[in-house]
Amino acid sequence: MEEKSIMRLLEHEDTSKLLFQKANELLHDQNNADMIEKLKTLINALANVSKLFQCQEKETLLRETNQLLPLLKAPYSLKANEKLQYWIFLFLETVDAELLLTLNNYIELSAETGNALYDYIEHRKKFKYYVVLLANTALRTGYSLPEKTYNIIMEAVQQQPDLLGYITAHKGYVYEQTPQRTFHNCTVCGGEGTPYYTSFSYFMNHFENPFEPVKTWIKCNHCGNLFTRKFPEEFLKQCEHYGLMSPNITPPPIFHDSVVFQKRAVRY
């Protein structure tokens, strides 16, 4: 499924910034009737766009639009400016709500769309839908942006430990920093790996500390084994005698022939 619907919603942030800027300029040029008409045209256009939204928040926005438009006249007043600023706030909140509904249509997002969403969400930290927007985006960028997904969620919970506790999966959860061991090499053959997928383990039924709310899986470049980048020291200390299952990075010929045969079988 194409992700144009998400990108179109994100474009409204720039339009809202332009609207806010022009409104403040009118405070110094209150009789600029031409500018006032342009503002009204833009507001009407955004309101018409919101009529196509599926979220319930659009009804409040449309009511506020009807109250705002009669105030947009020369001379442009401070009251009109305050009302317009509130309208912009409501419009972006409506965009947030529509984004949440739209995200439900996607299982995984591309890196381009994921990056654009994270940039947008960065500016929405103080607003109503910030946490759920962040979580729903992270759930869909595990493959396309594994390292960024991990870093963004961990940075967020470190800054606000109770951030995810507002989500019903584990109501009241508070992040606690616990000792984690970082694995740089494959636990099977010792080879180097590449970030493959970041799972949002917080949403697992039995999730709890000392595990982190997100977990990055590394894929070995040599044997294909998947291993977690970090694991709680609390559990690793119970099996300190572990060793590599296969310290020889080069797989034996029999193993190699078996893999080739399986690949050909799948191909056909």
Side-chain angles (χ1 to χ4, degrees):
M1 181 181 293
E2 292 186 2
E3 299 170 354
K4 292 180 181 178
S5 55
I6 293 178
M7 300 303 283
R8 281 196 294 267
L9 285 169
L10 297 181
E11 290 172 358
H12 292 315
E13 182 182 26
D14 290 334
T15 308
S16 298
K17 289 179 180 178
L18 176 63
L19 188 59
F20 181 79
Q21 176 188 340
K22 295 302 179 183
N24 284 331
E25 288 178 7
L26 270 174
L27 289 176
H28 305 287
D29 189 9
Q30 297 176 327
N31 292 305
N32 191 331
D34 183 55
M35 177 66 74
I36 292 174
E37 286 303 312
K38 288 181 179 178
L39 280 181
K40 292 174 70 173
T41 299
L42 183 54
I43 290 167
N44 269 315
L46 294 177
N48 287 332
V49 167
S50 70
K51 289 179 181 178
L52 302 176
F53 290 175
Q54 301 300 312
C55 64
Q56 296 180 349
E57 285 77 0
K58 71 177 182 180
E59 302 301 334
T60 302
L61 179 71
L62 294 174
R63 286 198 299 270
E64 287 295 325
T65 304
N66 293 332
Q67 296 177 23
L68 170 64
L69 290 175
L71 298 176
L72 298 179
K73 57 186 179 181
Y76 184 73
S77 65
L78 183 60
K79 180 181 179 181
N81 192 62
E82 290 175 350
K83 190 73 171 177
L84 178 54
Q85 290 187 33
Y86 179 62
W87 187 92
I88 295 171
F89 164 81
L90 280 180
F91 176 71
L92 285 177
E93 196 164 82
T94 305
V95 170
D96 290 349
E98 189 66 14
L99 270 172
L100 280 173
L101 289 179
T102 305
L103 281 170
N104 289 332
N105 297 321
Y106 300 89
I107 296 175
E108 183 69 19
L109 297 172
S110 66
E112 179 185 5
T113 301
N115 281 320
L117 266 167
Y118 284 129
D119 288 344
Y120 175 83
I121 293 169
E122 178 67 22
H123 302 142
R124 306 298 295 160
K125 285 186 175 180
K126 297 180 180 179
F127 297 92
K128 180 178 179 181
Y129 295 106
Y130 164 67
V131 178
V132 285
L133 267 177
L134 180 65
N136 276 274
T137 300
L139 281 168
R140 292 163 173 82
T141 57
Y143 281 111
S144 57
L145 297 168
E147 288 192 282
K148 187 166 189 173
T149 299
Y150 175 85
N151 291 335
I152 282 180
I153 294 299
M154 288 307 300
E155 181 180 345
V157 296
Q158 286 166 1
Q159 292 179 356
Q160 186 180 337
D162 64 345
L163 182 71
L164 297 178
Y166 299 101
I167 300 175
T168 54
H170 295 284
K171 205 75 173 177
Y173 166 76
V174 178
Y175 166 72
E176 297 177 16
Q177 187 171 1
T178 55
Q180 304 283 321
R181 187 178 303 181
T182 301
F183 290 89
H184 299 284
N185 297 91
C186 176
T187 52
V188 172
C189 72
E192 295 182 353
T194 304
Y196 180 72
Y197 175 67
T198 290
S199 62
F200 211 147
S201 48
Y202 172 78
F203 286 92
M204 295 176 63
N205 288 336
H206 302 293
F207 166 78
E208 59 183 13
N209 287 320
F211 290 95
E212 294 182 330
V214 281
K215 178 183 292 186
T216 297
W217 292 86
I218 309 298
K219 186 172 184 178
C220 178
N221 297 329
H222 298 276
C223 71
N225 174 49
L226 290 175
F227 59 97
T228 59
R229 172 172 283 171
K230 293 190 177 184
F231 201 84
E233 285 283 1
E234 177 181 330
F235 296 107
L236 288 172
K237 287 180 179 178
Q238 299 175 19
C239 55
E240 285 289 359
H241 56 281
Y242 75 93
L244 292 178
M245 293 175 59
S246 177
N248 183 3
I249 293 178
T250 304
I254 297 177
F255 175 79
H256 173 75
D257 293 342
S258 174
V259 171
V260 172
F261 175 77
Q262 289 176 19
K263 287 183 176 179
R264 286 176 178 170
V266 170
R267 189 175 302 164
Y268 290 109

